Amino acid sequence: MNTFASRTGVVVGLDDSAPVSAAVGWAVEYARGHHLPLRVVAAGRSGGAAERRRELLDLTVLLCRSTALGLPVSGCVAEGEMPAALIEAAHGPEILVVGGRENVPVERILAAASCPVVVVRSARWPNPASPVVVGLDGSDADDAPLSLAFDVAAHTVAPLVAVHARCEPVHRGVTPEATVERLRSWGEKYPRVSVRCTDAHDRAVPAILADAKVAGLVVVGPAGPGGIVRHLVHEAACPVLVACGAPELVGARS
């Protein structure tokens, strides 16, 4: 039986600087661990630069296949510039992986995305010593980032650190206890994931950035507690996974 059948897969944008960038490496690990096909997207105008980009794309696909034997890897060259290609790619895959270079319009991609987006600025990957950190605000929207955070933690045998932030406007009935109860419910689905919860009060940005120094991954919703997404994708020391897309779709991914 083909475990890759009927899966929309992982899409990663190709960095012109190297055939295997941190983003490509992250995408390979995620695709391999989740039995998903991988598609590498390059973009650019026609001409000599386009030919060199095609050569780099072919080399990247070859290296990905040799790194993860049996993983279906394909490549495509999109017409136009990379920002537009990545925004177009943000519709359809199970997850989109982009690099953290300054010329990547991360905010535009996140605003347009209908799937989770990972911004990769370093080659870190969660492990027993590098936890998955998830930022929560206590609302029902927390289920989307929690679904992704628990899933990655389970696949990488990493502990999960939940950071609860009390933000304005205050959600009715939201307390740290409510967040703990939500974590307990998710923990029942992932009994092997070790969970620790901290209360950041109204200091979500410094709290999560501090945790990101030792984390393998930070996961937040597209709004994020305290509107921290913009800070995280530009300042966090580890990759940041933003749970874009409809919560019911994000939560259904595995």
Side-chain angles (χ1 to χ4, degrees):
M1 179 177 178
N2 183 4
T3 59
F4 297 96
S6 302
R7 307 303 295 273
T8 54
V10 179
V11 172
V12 60
L14 179 62
D15 187 330
D16 288 343
S17 63
V20 180
S21 63
V24 171
W26 201 99
V28 168
E29 288 297 328
Y30 188 93
R32 176 166 52 185
H34 288 76
H35 302 289
L36 292 168
L38 174 65
R39 180 160 57 99
V40 184
V41 176
R45 304 294 180 182
S46 58
E51 293 178 5
R52 289 191 295 272
R53 189 172 290 107
R54 179 77 240 187
E55 293 175 357
L56 183 62
L57 175 64
D58 292 341
L59 176 59
T60 300
V61 170
L62 179 62
L63 289 174
C64 289
R65 289 173 177 167
S66 63
T67 300
L69 297 179
L71 177 69
V73 183
S74 61
C76 69
V77 177
E79 287 294 327
E81 300 302 324
M82 180 57 78
L86 289 176
I87 290 172
E88 178 65 25
H91 299 278
E94 298 214 7
I95 194 166
L96 172 67
V97 184
V98 301
R101 298 176 65 191
E102 292 181 356
N103 63 339
V104 176
V106 173
E107 286 85 358
R108 286 175 54 196
I109 294 170
L110 294 176
S114 60
C115 70
V117 177
V118 188
V119 181
V120 180
R121 293 183 178 277
S122 72
R124 288 195 202 173
W125 184 253
N127 60 64
S130 297
V132 175
V133 175
V134 58
L136 308 172
D137 63 12
S139 70
D140 290 342
D142 283 346
D143 282 328
L146 279 172
S147 172
L148 292 167
F150 269 99
D151 173 71
V152 173
H155 275 84
T156 57
V157 199
L160 187 146
V161 177
V163 180
H164 176 271
R166 303 175 187 177
C167 310
E168 297 292 344
V170 177
H171 298 287
R172 180 176 300 177
V174 169
T175 65
E177 291 74 21
T179 296
V180 170
E181 182 58 36
R182 190 182 298 274
L183 285 168
R184 184 178 295 112
S185 176
W186 275 100
E188 291 175 355
K189 302 176 184 178
Y190 295 90
R192 296 187 178 181
V193 175
S194 172
V195 181
R196 176 170 62 87
C197 183
T198 63
D199 190 355
H201 301 283
D202 59 350
R203 296 179 54 79
V205 173
I208 297 180
L209 285 177
D211 285 335
K213 293 179 180 179
V214 297
L217 179 70
V218 167
V219 186
V220 290
I228 67 169
V229 173
R230 178 173 57 85
H231 293 281
L232 289 178
V233 297
H234 291 292
E235 300 174 32
C238 67
V240 177
L241 171 52
V242 184
C244 300
E248 63 271 17
L249 294 178
V250 173
R253 300 177 193 274
S254 61

